[in-house]
Amino acid sequence: AQSVTQLGSHVSVSEGALVLLRCNYSSSVPPYLFWYVQYPNQGLQLLLKYTSAATLVKGINGFEAEFKKSETSFHLTKPSAHMSDAAEYFCAVSDRSSNTGKLIFGQGTTLQVKP
Amino acid sequence: DSGVTQTPKHLITATGQRVTLRCSPRSGDLSVYWYQQSLDQGLQFLIQYYNGEERAKGNILERFSAQQFPDLHSELNLSSLELGDSALYFCASSDQGTSPLHFGNGTRLTVT
């Protein structure tokens, strides 16, 4: 069965600092992995996805993530945090074993950006 | 704008009551997914429909049911509501199994 674990429920960075949000996955088949962002009172917005092409994936708003099979990780990074990046971030894995397309989400990481 | 529309945005009701949440998927998407988001459980998959047929079932209570209509919109019915059912309910849609899910803005249900 597929699962994801997000390390750190809360991350705080200063504006302009590196953002690193950690995600580890467990999957019995090659995974499809996603990062979503949720702003207050809004739905989840897709940041980026990995579907077995390039291991370094670039997304919207300057975010990127690297798929590392040896470490079963898919960490999200951004070189320089902006105040507008404050939100909750979710890592998700597609349940490919069932071929339904449903996503299994991690518990989420709240990113705080300090001025 | 994801193209997924959910109504209503907010719903306040009493224990024991029944409510219906509605979702219109993005144009062309055949799959609809329902998720429940709460502080203690996080994002939990409830159920998926594909072109009118139930495709997958998750942690959905027997008091809850859903359906997808010929025009592809979907409804989630919650009955005999309990305080613990208070949560944000999201609908998402996709066009095929490998595509990402596109989420609506959710319906916030408060059971008093």
Side-chain angles (χ1 to χ4, degrees):
Chain A
Q2 283 82 12
S3 66
V4 289
T5 302
Q6 291 184 240
L7 302 175
S9 60
H10 192 100
V11 170
S12 182
V13 300
S14 297
E15 191 174 18
L18 171 72
V19 175
L20 171 60
L21 305 183
R22 300 176 187 273
C23 172
N24 287 89
Y25 70 90
S26 172
S27 177
S28 55
V29 298
Y32 289 167
L33 295 160
F34 305 82
W35 275 100
Y36 282 82
V37 60
Q38 184 180 25
Y39 298 102
N41 301 313
Q42 293 188 27
L44 279 74
Q45 180 183 3
L46 179 68
L47 276 177
L48 49 80
K49 63 179 181 180
Y50 167 78
T51 54
S52 72
T55 56
L56 183 62
V57 182
K58 293 189 184 299
I60 62 171
N61 301 338
F63 285 94
E64 62 182 35
E66 186 172 10
F67 173 73
K68 291 187 176 180
K69 184 177 178 181
S70 60
E71 298 177 9
T72 61
S73 68
F74 190 57
H75 302 332
L76 182 71
T77 60
K78 181 173 180 178
S80 176
H82 193 273
M83 295 298 291
S84 61
D85 295 327
E88 188 157 21
Y89 292 79
F90 292 92
C91 182
V93 62
S94 181
D95 184 11
R96 296 186 65 200
S97 60
S98 67
N99 198 32
T100 60
K102 79 173 194 238
L103 296 184
I104 299 163
F105 286 89
Q107 286 296 97
T109 298
T110 300
L111 176 65
Q112 180 188 25
V113 182
K114 298 176 292 186
Chain B
D1 183 7
S2 69
V4 178
T5 303
Q6 288 188 249
T7 56
K9 286 189 69 173
H10 301 278
L11 205 46
I12 302 174
T13 189
T15 54
Q17 295 298 305
R18 173 189 169 95
V19 297
T20 297
L21 282 53
R22 182 188 169 98
C23 169
S24 293
R26 287 192 323 161
S27 177
D29 285 355
L30 299 179
S31 274
V32 169
Y33 306 77
W34 286 98
Y35 283 82
Q36 179 192 59
Q37 185 180 34
S38 60
L39 283 174
D40 53 344
Q41 297 290 326
L43 271 162
Q44 295 288 314
F45 169 71
L46 295 178
I47 197 164
Q48 178 203 3
Y49 277 80
Y50 178 82
N51 203 20
E53 300 289 326
E54 182 182 304
R55 175 66 72 89
K57 220 167 186 177
N59 302 323
I60 188 166
L61 300 172
E62 283 191 18
R63 301 183 285 108
F64 296 0
S65 65
Q67 54 184 326
Q68 185 178 28
F69 295 86
D71 67 352
L72 300 179
H73 92 271
S74 178
E75 293 180 356
L76 179 67
N77 300 295
L78 315 176
S79 62
S80 303
L81 286 167
E82 302 174 359
L83 295 178
D85 297 328
S86 296
L88 200 48
Y89 291 83
F90 285 109
C91 169
S93 72
S94 73
D95 59 358
Q96 60 177 336
T98 59
S99 299
L101 272 57
H102 299 270
F103 283 79
N105 284 337
T107 293
R108 182 170 295 282
L109 173 67
T110 303
V111 183
T112 62

